[in-house]
PDB file of all heavy atoms in Angstrom:
ATOM      1  N   ALA K1475       4.715  -0.069 -32.379  1.00 98.00           N
ATOM      2  CA  ALA K1475       4.173  -0.812 -33.554  1.00 98.00           C
ATOM      3  C   ALA K1475       4.640  -0.196 -34.912  1.00 98.00           C
ATOM      4  O   ALA K1475       4.588   0.940 -35.071  1.00 98.00           O
ATOM      5  CB  ALA K1475       2.591  -0.773 -33.352  1.00 98.00           C
ATOM      6  N   TYR K1479      -1.975  -1.607 -34.200  1.00 98.00           N
ATOM      7  CA  TYR K1479      -3.250  -2.069 -33.670  1.00 98.00           C
ATOM      8  C   TYR K1479      -4.149  -0.881 -33.433  1.00 98.00           C
ATOM      9  O   TYR K1479      -3.700  -0.004 -32.609  1.00 98.00           O
ATOM     10  CB  TYR K1479      -2.877  -2.891 -32.339  1.00 98.00           C
ATOM     11  CG  TYR K1479      -3.918  -2.895 -31.196  1.00 98.00           C
ATOM     12  CD1 TYR K1479      -5.194  -3.302 -31.398  1.00 98.00           C
ATOM     13  CD2 TYR K1479      -3.487  -2.397 -29.926  1.00 98.00           C
ATOM     14  CE1 TYR K1479      -6.074  -3.287 -30.293  1.00 98.00           C
ATOM     15  CE2 TYR K1479      -4.342  -2.391 -28.934  1.00 98.00           C
ATOM     16  CZ  TYR K1479      -5.641  -2.868 -29.054  1.00 98.00           C
ATOM     17  OH  TYR K1479      -6.502  -2.819 -28.007  1.00 98.00           O
ATOM     18  N   LYS K1482     -10.799  -2.792 -31.585  1.00 98.00           N
ATOM     19  CA  LYS K1482     -10.979  -4.180 -31.067  1.00 98.00           C
ATOM     20  C   LYS K1482     -12.275  -4.761 -31.634  1.00 98.00           C
ATOM     21  O   LYS K1482     -13.205  -4.084 -31.823  1.00 98.00           O
ATOM     22  CB  LYS K1482     -11.208  -4.023 -29.434  1.00 98.00           C
ATOM     23  CG  LYS K1482     -10.007  -3.467 -28.707  1.00 98.00           C
ATOM     24  CD  LYS K1482     -10.294  -3.300 -27.249  1.00 98.00           C
ATOM     25  CE  LYS K1482      -9.258  -2.731 -26.426  1.00 98.00           C
ATOM     26  NZ  LYS K1482      -8.954  -1.329 -26.726  1.00 98.00           N
ATOM     27  N   SER K1600      -3.727  -4.365 -21.471  1.00 96.00           N
ATOM     28  CA  SER K1600      -3.624  -3.370 -22.562  1.00 96.00           C
ATOM     29  C   SER K1600      -3.111  -4.110 -23.800  1.00 96.00           C
ATOM     30  O   SER K1600      -2.193  -4.853 -23.709  1.00 96.00           O
ATOM     31  CB  SER K1600      -2.624  -2.320 -22.167  1.00 96.00           C
ATOM     32  OG  SER K1600      -2.546  -1.295 -23.187  1.00 96.00           O
ATOM     33  N   GLY K1601      -3.842  -3.916 -24.931  1.00 97.00           N
ATOM     34  CA  GLY K1601      -3.529  -4.626 -26.087  1.00 97.00           C
ATOM     35  C   GLY K1601      -2.027  -4.709 -26.478  1.00 97.00           C
ATOM     36  O   GLY K1601      -1.469  -5.720 -26.705  1.00 97.00           O
ATOM     37  N   SER K1602      -1.459  -3.415 -26.461  1.00 97.00           N
ATOM     38  CA  SER K1602      -0.078  -3.352 -27.014  1.00 97.00           C
ATOM     39  C   SER K1602       0.898  -4.139 -26.114  1.00 97.00           C
ATOM     40  O   SER K1602       1.987  -4.522 -26.438  1.00 97.00           O
ATOM     41  CB  SER K1602       0.313  -1.928 -27.111  1.00 97.00           C
ATOM     42  OG  SER K1602       0.039  -1.201 -25.999  1.00 97.00           O
ATOM     43  N   ARG K1605       2.632  -7.603 -27.005  1.00 98.00           N
ATOM     44  CA  ARG K1605       3.829  -7.716 -27.748  1.00 98.00           C
ATOM     45  C   ARG K1605       5.085  -7.486 -26.890  1.00 98.00           C
ATOM     46  O   ARG K1605       6.091  -7.943 -27.243  1.00 98.00           O
ATOM     47  CB  ARG K1605       3.802  -6.686 -28.943  1.00 98.00           C
ATOM     48  CG  ARG K1605       2.623  -6.865 -29.873  1.00 98.00           C
ATOM     49  CD  ARG K1605       2.687  -5.904 -30.988  1.00 98.00           C
ATOM     50  NE  ARG K1605       2.687  -4.571 -30.454  1.00 98.00           N
ATOM     51  CZ  ARG K1605       1.776  -3.605 -30.746  1.00 98.00           C
ATOM     52  NH1 ARG K1605       0.848  -3.738 -31.530  1.00 98.00           N
ATOM     53  NH2 ARG K1605       1.958  -2.378 -30.216  1.00 98.00           N
ATOM     54  N   SER K1653      -5.930   5.959 -26.100  1.00 93.00           N
ATOM     55  CA  SER K1653      -6.010   5.078 -27.240  1.00 93.00           C
ATOM     56  C   SER K1653      -7.292   4.233 -27.189  1.00 93.00           C
ATOM     57  O   SER K1653      -7.935   3.976 -28.215  1.00 93.00           O
ATOM     58  CB  SER K1653      -4.856   4.093 -27.375  1.00 93.00           C
ATOM     59  OG  SER K1653      -3.777   4.432 -26.604  1.00 93.00           O
ATOM     60  N   ARG K1654      -7.580   3.901 -26.004  1.00 95.00           N
ATOM     61  CA  ARG K1654      -8.870   2.987 -25.824  1.00 95.00           C
ATOM     62  C   ARG K1654     -10.077   3.603 -26.339  1.00 95.00           C
ATOM     63  O   ARG K1654     -10.814   3.058 -27.144  1.00 95.00           O
ATOM     64  CB  ARG K1654      -8.968   2.610 -24.374  1.00 95.00           C
ATOM     65  CG  ARG K1654      -9.950   1.482 -24.119  1.00 95.00           C
ATOM     66  CD  ARG K1654      -9.647   0.751 -22.794  1.00 95.00           C
ATOM     67  NE  ARG K1654      -8.227   0.293 -22.732  1.00 95.00           N
ATOM     68  CZ  ARG K1654      -7.754  -0.143 -21.582  1.00 95.00           C
ATOM     69  NH1 ARG K1654      -8.515  -0.338 -20.571  1.00 95.00           N
ATOM     70  NH2 ARG K1654      -6.528  -0.595 -21.549  1.00 95.00           N
TER      71      ARG K1654
HETATM   72  C1  DP6 H2190      -1.511   3.567 -31.380  1.00 96.60           C
HETATM   73  O1  DP6 H2190      -2.597  -0.937 -26.270  1.00 96.60           O
HETATM   74  O2  DP6 H2190      -2.797   1.484 -25.484  1.00 96.60           O
HETATM   75  O3  DP6 H2190      -0.091   2.531 -29.813  1.00 96.60           O
HETATM   76  O4  DP6 H2190      -5.599  -2.064 -25.717  1.00 96.60           O
HETATM   77  O5  DP6 H2190      -7.136  -0.134 -25.130  1.00 96.60           O
HETATM   78  O6  DP6 H2190      -5.085  -0.496 -23.843  1.00 96.60           O
HETATM   79  P1  DP6 H2190      -5.689  -0.693 -25.164  1.00 96.60           P
HETATM   80  O7  DP6 H2190      -4.851   0.203 -26.195  1.00 96.60           O
HETATM   81  P2  DP6 H2190      -3.337   0.429 -26.388  1.00 96.60           P
HETATM   82  O8  DP6 H2190      -3.327   0.958 -27.854  1.00 96.60           O
HETATM   83  C2  DP6 H2190      -2.112   1.120 -28.687  1.00 96.60           C
HETATM   84  C3  DP6 H2190      -2.372   1.786 -29.825  1.00 96.60           C
HETATM   85  C4  DP6 H2190      -1.129   2.226 -30.661  1.00 96.60           C
HETATM   86  C5  DP6 H2190      -0.799   1.214 -31.704  1.00 96.60           C
HETATM   87  C6  DP6 H2190      -0.084  -0.002 -31.257  1.00 96.60           C
HETATM   88  O9  DP6 H2190       0.614   0.002 -30.238  1.00 96.60           O
HETATM   89  O10 DP6 H2190      -0.230  -1.011 -31.905  1.00 96.60           O
END
Side-chain angles (χ1 to χ4, degrees):
Y1479 145 59
K1482 300 177 181 70
S1600 182
S1602 50
R1605 300 180 307 235
S1653 341
R1654 195 156 305 173

